[in-house]
């Protein structure tokens, strides 16, 4: 939500809950500071102050983590690394003094004991699944709450399902472990006493993975919220079979849940079956989504293209399903073979892996780390067509309006109008009215206000999110056009080389160098027009283009004299 956050004056969506939880496990006498790179840069003074630097990252953040480790190494500060990326790929990471992997409730105390004795080892790992009643409340005192749009808490870890492409079950297992209701409500009390009001994300891998414990939590969460006049609006991740449990749905709505993220993946039943997504085959997916929406919860969804069974029509089918399901936030991604997953092992056995996983970076850098059954170019082009279609303003606002008409206006989780919301509305009016999609924006606002007058804040929120989706999609497509342009320029230069070689005119070398300089100048001008956030993802392509031109020119220059002797 990078481009939506300025509307509400925030720097990031969530604080880093993992690091805040690890901080709570450190010795009480330890002095601890937190640097969240989503809200501030890492300065040398912060590193120089510390005796140890703890770093956590997901795979998509590996380049950022490498820069942090490099800085710490330069300043002579030992790095302790953990989290999903180090746990999956620690043998590929350089410069880390101590890897504390898997779940910190088990491995961190072992490291701390050894460190206190001056005997810390390079690697701490364990397959043990800890009881979450051992997990302390996160250190929210280490963050500036005003920097964040939402807060986050965790009730459970793990998921009972066995999706081939998912690494959650490899990291946390298939038996969901939970905190006690009293333990979780205590964490909510701490947030409440700290003054937090508003959205709260329950970051569980699958909130309904252990339904018995979830029911017990909701039974106490409902009165907790009621007694405090619903200070938190809740949202979480779950599986689509939530729709089959109406009493549980009703409990969640009473507790204040107004959104749920579902792993929908694809409307293709063959792909779902092959991927082990059995929970999505038990009922009609579209009807299940609409049932959840009618209860008063917005559905956001994850979608994937690139399954082995995907045919040429999968792109149109995905667009059609997303539109019919009225899912504004449709997170569509290219299939990625994450380390340690069943998918990774299968593709490796089939000899189809082609590189490391990028961790699902499907908004800035479109690459596959395996050979798909579909032609790679066709798959990536089809993926781009999906994004261009679903995040065209007219199609996006069409889904939003359909959602507003379908959703039951929430009672317990209705968004309230505060200064932040009013500021967002004013900025939305100024920025979006005068945007390239201003007419679509105003049509949606007017229709939305009349369709659901009690859901004006929700309507404005959907419009602001749309601004982010439009901008990031347009930027991605511009980046892809830029890369395609490099290939065209390279081809044109190659054709000119052949023409000159055929004429056997060595004196044309100066003309070719001028042509090279002209091409590089064009590339630089186009590069500067790229959105700043996306330029780093063009650097590799620009470097390769420059090297290709130099290599071809050098080869041509070395061949010209020989050609002249045979003229």
């Amino acid at each position: 939500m990078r481009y939506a956050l300025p509307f509400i004056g925030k720097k990031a969506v969530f604080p880093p809950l993992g690091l805040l939880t690890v901080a709570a496990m450190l010795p009480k006498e330890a002095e601890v500071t937190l640097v969240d790179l989503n809200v501030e840069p890492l300065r040398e003074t912060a590193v120089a102050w510390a005796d140890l630097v703890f770093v956590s990252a997901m795979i998509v953040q590996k380049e950022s983590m490498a820069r942090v480790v490099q800085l710490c190494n330069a300043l002579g500060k030992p790095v302790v690394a953990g989290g999903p990326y180090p746990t999956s790929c620690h043998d590929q990471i350089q410069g880390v003094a101590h890897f504390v992997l898997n779940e910190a409730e088990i491995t961190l105390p072992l490291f701390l004991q050894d460190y206190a004795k001056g005997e810390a080892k390079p690697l701490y790992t364990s397959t043990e699944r800890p009881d979450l009643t051992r997990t302390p409340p996160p250190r929210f005192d280490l963050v500036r709450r005003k920097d964040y749009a939402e807060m986050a808490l965790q009730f459970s870890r793990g998921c009972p399902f066995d999706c081939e492409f998912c690494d959650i079950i490899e990291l946390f297992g298939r038996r969901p472990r939970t905190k006690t209701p009293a333990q979780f409500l205590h964490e909510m009390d701490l947030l409440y006493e700290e003054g937090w009001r508003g959205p709260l994300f329950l970051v569980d891998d699958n909130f309904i993975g252990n339904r018995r414990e979830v029911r017990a939590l909701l039974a106490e969460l409902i009165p907790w919220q009621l007694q405090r006049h619903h200070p938190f609006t809740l949202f979480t991740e779950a599986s689509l079979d939530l729709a089959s449990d109406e009493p549980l749905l009703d409990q969640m709505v009473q507790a204040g849940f107004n959104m749920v993220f579902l792993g929908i993946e694809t409307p293709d039943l063959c792909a779902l079956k092959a991927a082990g997504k059995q929970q999505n085959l038990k009922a009609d997916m579209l009807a299940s989504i609409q049932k959840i929406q009618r209860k008063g919860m917005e559905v956001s969804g994850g979608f994937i293209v690139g399954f082995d069974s995907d045919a040429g029509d999968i792109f149109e089918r995905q667009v059609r399903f997303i539109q019919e399901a009225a899912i504004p936030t449709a997170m569509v991604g290219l299939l990625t073979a994450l380390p340690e997953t069943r998918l990774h092992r299968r593709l490796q056995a089939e000899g189809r892996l082609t590189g490391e996983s990028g961790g699902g970076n499907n908004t800035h850098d479109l690459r596959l780390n395996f050979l798909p059954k579909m032609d790679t170019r066709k798959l990536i082009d089809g993926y781009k067509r999906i994004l261009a279609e679903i995040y065209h303003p007219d199609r996006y606002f069409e889904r939003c309006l359909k959602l507003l008409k379908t959703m039951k206006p929430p009672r317990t989780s209705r968004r309230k109008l505060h200064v932040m919301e009013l500021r967002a509305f004013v900025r939305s009016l100024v920025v979006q009215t005068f945007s390239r999609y201003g007419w679509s924006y105003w049509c949606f606002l007017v229709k939305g206000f009349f369709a659901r007058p009690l859901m004006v804040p929700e309507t404005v929120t959907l419009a602001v999110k749309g601004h982010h989706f439009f901008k990031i999609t347009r930027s991605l497509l511009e980046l892809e056009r830029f890369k395609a342009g490099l290939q065209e320029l390279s081809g044109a230069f190659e054709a000119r080389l052949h023409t000159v070689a055929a004429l056997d005119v060595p004196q044309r070398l100066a003309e070719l160098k001028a042509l090279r300089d002209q091409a590089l100048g064009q590339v630089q001008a186009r590069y500067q027009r790229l959105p700043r956030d996306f330029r780093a993802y063009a650097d590799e392509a620009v470097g390769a283009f420059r090297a290709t031109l130099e290599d071809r020119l050098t080869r041509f220059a070395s061949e010209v004299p020989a050609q002249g002797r045979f003229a």
Side-chain angles (χ1 to χ4, degrees):
M1 289 297 160
R2 180 181 185 90
Y3 304 116
L5 289 169
F7 284 76
I8 55 175
K10 303 297 181 182
K11 295 181 179 179
V13 180
F14 311 114
L17 185 63
L19 282 174
L20 295 177
T21 305
V22 167
M25 300 177 187
L26 298 177
K28 295 191 182 301
E29 65 273 14
E31 294 182 65
V32 181
T33 62
L34 178 99
V35 179
D36 178 4
L37 296 184
N38 284 312
V39 301
E40 61 181 316
L42 178 61
R43 296 180 174 85
E44 287 191 7
T45 52
V47 176
W49 168 87
D51 298 307
L52 280 175
V53 179
F54 287 75
V55 179
S56 180
M58 294 183 286
I59 295 175
V60 74
Q61 299 163 327
K62 60 185 177 183
E63 287 87 2
S64 174
M65 177 176 159
R67 291 192 294 271
V68 170
V69 172
Q70 187 178 29
L71 174 61
C72 295
N73 291 165
L75 296 176
K77 300 297 181 178
V79 176
V80 182
Y85 169 46
T87 294
S88 298
C89 309
H90 74 275
D91 55 341
Q92 302 170 20
I93 301 172
Q94 303 296 319
V96 171
H98 309 285
F99 286 101
V100 180
L101 307 180
N102 305 103
E103 298 183 60
E105 289 87 349
I106 301 296
T107 54
L108 184 60
L110 300 176
F111 164 75
L112 293 173
Q113 290 170 16
D114 289 349
Y115 181 76
K117 295 184 291 186
E119 301 173 356
K121 296 188 284 287
L123 178 65
Y124 294 82
T125 182
S126 172
T127 58
E128 184 179 346
R129 308 292 187 196
D131 185 338
L132 296 196
T133 59
R134 299 168 54 176
T135 308
R139 288 280 308 273
F140 284 110
D141 59 295
L142 296 176
V143 299
R144 295 185 300 271
R145 292 189 310 280
K146 65 179 183 180
D147 288 339
Y148 300 96
E150 296 155 6
M151 286 290 125
L153 289 175
Q154 183 181 57
F155 177 63
S156 71
R157 284 184 211 156
C159 178
F161 300 112
D162 190 23
C163 304
E164 184 188 43
F165 51 82
C166 183
D167 64 346
I168 289 298
I169 53 176
E170 307 295 341
L171 290 168
F172 300 121
R174 292 186 59 190
R175 186 181 67 83
R177 292 156 286 135
T178 71
K179 298 174 180 176
T180 66
Q183 181 183 7
F184 185 79
L185 291 180
H186 173 63
E187 294 183 11
M188 292 185 69
D189 281 331
L190 294 177
L191 268 181
Y192 183 82
E193 291 163 6
E194 288 266 343
W196 178 256
R197 303 292 184 272
L200 178 60
F201 180 29
L202 275 63
V203 302
D204 299 34
D205 309 310
N206 183 350
F207 181 65
I208 63 167
N210 188 329
R211 298 196 187 191
R212 184 189 65 184
E213 297 300 327
V214 167
R215 293 183 204 280
L217 171 67
L218 293 173
E220 298 189 33
L221 181 55
I222 291 169
W224 187 97
Q225 286 266 67
L226 187 62
Q227 290 165 10
R228 294 162 181 79
H229 308 289
H230 293 91
F232 303 144
T233 54
L234 309 175
F235 60 109
T236 191
E237 301 176 316
S239 44
L240 186 59
D241 56 335
L242 168 64
S244 66
D245 195 331
E246 192 158 352
L248 184 56
L249 263 176
D250 290 336
Q251 273 190 300
M252 288 178 66
V253 172
Q254 290 178 51
F257 284 86
N258 65 0
M259 181 186 287
V260 61
F261 175 88
L262 305 176
I264 299 166
E265 320 312 355
T266 176
D268 186 89
L269 302 184
C270 293
L272 290 172
K273 185 175 181 180
K277 198 86 181 180
Q278 302 296 330
Q279 64 272 28
N280 286 18
L281 297 170
K282 295 179 179 179
D284 180 89
M285 290 197 296
L286 191 58
S288 297
I289 292 166
Q290 291 170 342
K291 182 176 181 179
I292 295 171
Q293 291 168 334
R294 285 195 297 270
K295 287 291 184 178
M297 282 196 284
E298 178 186 340
V299 170
S300 62
F303 297 86
I304 296 174
V305 290
F307 291 112
D308 284 353
S309 61
D310 280 352
D313 65 344
I314 189 60
F315 311 110
E316 289 73 21
R317 291 177 65 190
Q318 288 277 26
V319 170
R320 187 164 58 249
F321 185 91
I322 291 167
Q323 291 299 125
E324 290 177 357
I327 298 176
T329 304
M331 298 173 62
V332 187
L334 292 163
L335 182 64
T336 299
L338 295 171
E340 309 299 328
T341 59
R342 286 200 298 119
L343 175 64
H344 193 278
R345 292 191 287 270
R346 175 171 69 82
L347 293 175
Q348 189 171 47
E350 295 173 4
R352 293 169 59 191
L353 289 179
T354 59
E356 297 178 9
S357 166
N361 187 3
N362 292 148
T363 57
H364 289 65
D365 199 16
L366 303 188
R367 302 189 192 191
L368 297 167
N369 71 330
F370 71 100
L371 293 172
K373 291 292 181 70
M374 184 184 293
D375 176 75
T376 299
R377 189 72 260 162
K378 182 179 179 181
L379 174 57
I380 292 177
D381 287 345
Y383 171 66
K384 289 188 290 186
R385 287 203 310 275
I386 292 177
L387 294 184
E389 183 74 14
I390 65 173
Y391 289 121
H392 185 284
D394 291 344
R395 303 304 298 275
Y396 172 78
F397 287 133
E398 176 188 318
R399 296 200 302 280
C400 292
L401 187 60
K402 185 175 181 180
L403 172 68
L404 290 173
K405 292 178 177 178
T406 302
M407 267 183 67
K408 179 181 178 182
R411 293 183 179 179
T412 58
S413 59
R414 183 175 300 163
R415 296 179 189 269
K416 301 174 177 64
L417 280 173
H418 300 297
V419 173
M420 185 176 72
E421 284 75 17
L422 291 173
R423 180 171 58 184
F425 185 36
V426 171
R427 179 157 183 163
S428 169
L429 289 175
V430 173
V431 173
Q432 297 185 270
T433 295
F434 299 102
S435 66
R436 65 183 69 188
Y437 58 89
W439 176 252
S440 298
Y441 164 77
W442 268 103
C443 287
F444 167 67
L445 285 188
V446 172
K447 292 177 181 177
F449 291 167
F450 279 104
R452 281 287 189 258
L454 296 179
M455 296 176 67
V456 170
E458 286 82 0
T459 302
V460 174
T461 298
L462 289 170
V464 170
K465 286 182 178 180
H467 178 74
H468 168 81
F469 295 137
F470 306 153
K471 187 165 183 177
I472 200 168
T473 301
R474 188 170 67 250
S475 298
L476 170 65
L477 298 177
E478 286 179 17
L479 174 63
E480 289 299 301
R481 283 193 292 270
F482 173 81
K483 291 180 178 179
L486 292 182
Q487 294 178 344
E488 292 175 7
L489 281 173
S490 181
F493 190 81
E494 181 75 30
R496 189 64 176 270
L497 277 177
H498 290 313
T499 302
V500 173
L503 292 173
D504 192 23
V505 184
Q507 60 265 34
R508 299 289 290 276
L509 184 59
E511 179 186 334
L512 286 173
K513 289 182 178 179
L515 184 64
R516 173 204 60 191
D517 294 341
Q518 181 184 358
L520 291 175
Q522 291 177 8
V523 167
Q524 184 61 26
R526 294 181 189 178
Y527 179 86
Q528 292 299 324
R529 289 197 293 269
L530 285 174
R532 189 177 300 275
D533 294 339
F534 284 74
R535 290 177 189 170
Y537 296 93
D539 289 344
E540 183 178 338
V542 171
F545 174 75
R546 186 186 299 273
T548 298
L549 262 57
E550 294 295 339
D551 177 66
R552 289 171 179 169
L553 198 56
T554 300
R555 281 192 288 112
F556 176 79
S558 66
E559 293 168 2
V560 164
Q563 293 172 351
R565 287 194 295 271
F566 288 101

